[in-house]
Amino acid sequence: MEQSAQQAQQLDHLASAPAPGGSPFAAFGMPGLGGPPPAAPPEPRPILELDGEEREDELDALSDWVDDFFLPVYGAEVTTAAPWCLQWQEHDDVVAWLHALWLAYQQHKDPEAGLSGLFVWHRDFLTHALAAIRAPGGPLSACMTSPERPAHRILPGPPPSARTEKATASAADDAGPAEQDEPTS
């Protein structure tokens, strides 16, 4: 009877789920198999969605990449056909383009991107971003077009659509005038 009880206990143990944690394949150099999945890296957020210190930290890191890597390598000459702005951080659209380009650069320089990762970055990201940022009629067109004449000007964007204007006016009408006779405490 005792032997039957031991066998039943052993069968129950073998039939149960493996204990969490250790991988049965760790001894073979495959620690991830059978264990918990690795923690996912934080998802990048567009810089224009960040606020306060988080945005400032991201803008500082982006500025370091732009000043130390991007401009010396890809900055080229400043001309009317390829304007630039020393205060590019004040142009939200340029910040958004450069931030997206920087995130793509980080992804494509990673060894997991393979040997062609940086080629893909050049072909699919860099060329298009540079054409948009430094276009003669682009976001920096009112800024520096000659290194001898530094300039900075943010061009006004389009006004809100008629639908937005109508909704704003309607909301103001619905609120009505403020009551002047109500006591305040």
Side-chain angles (χ1 to χ4, degrees), residues 149-177:
R149 293 186 316 273
H152 168 67
R153 192 171 118 211
I154 296 179
L155 298 173
S161 69
R163 181 182 174 101
T164 302
E165 288 290 321
K166 186 186 284 187
T168 304
S170 176
D173 289 344
D174 291 345

Side-chain angles (χ1 to χ4, degrees), residues 43-52 54-55 58 95-96 99:
E43 289 189 29
R45 290 179 44 210
I47 194 167
L48 297 182
E49 291 181 4
L50 304 177
D51 292 320
E54 188 179 18
R55 183 174 177 157
E58 192 75 0
V95 169
H99 187 252

Side-chain angles (χ1 to χ4, degrees), residues 22 30 35 43 76 87 93 101 107-108 134 142 148 152 167 180 183 185:
M30 299 184 290
E43 289 189 29
Q87 297 173 39
D93 47 355
L101 185 64
Q107 177 184 357
H108 285 83
R134 299 194 65 191
E148 288 80 39
H152 168 67
Q180 298 294 331
S185 30

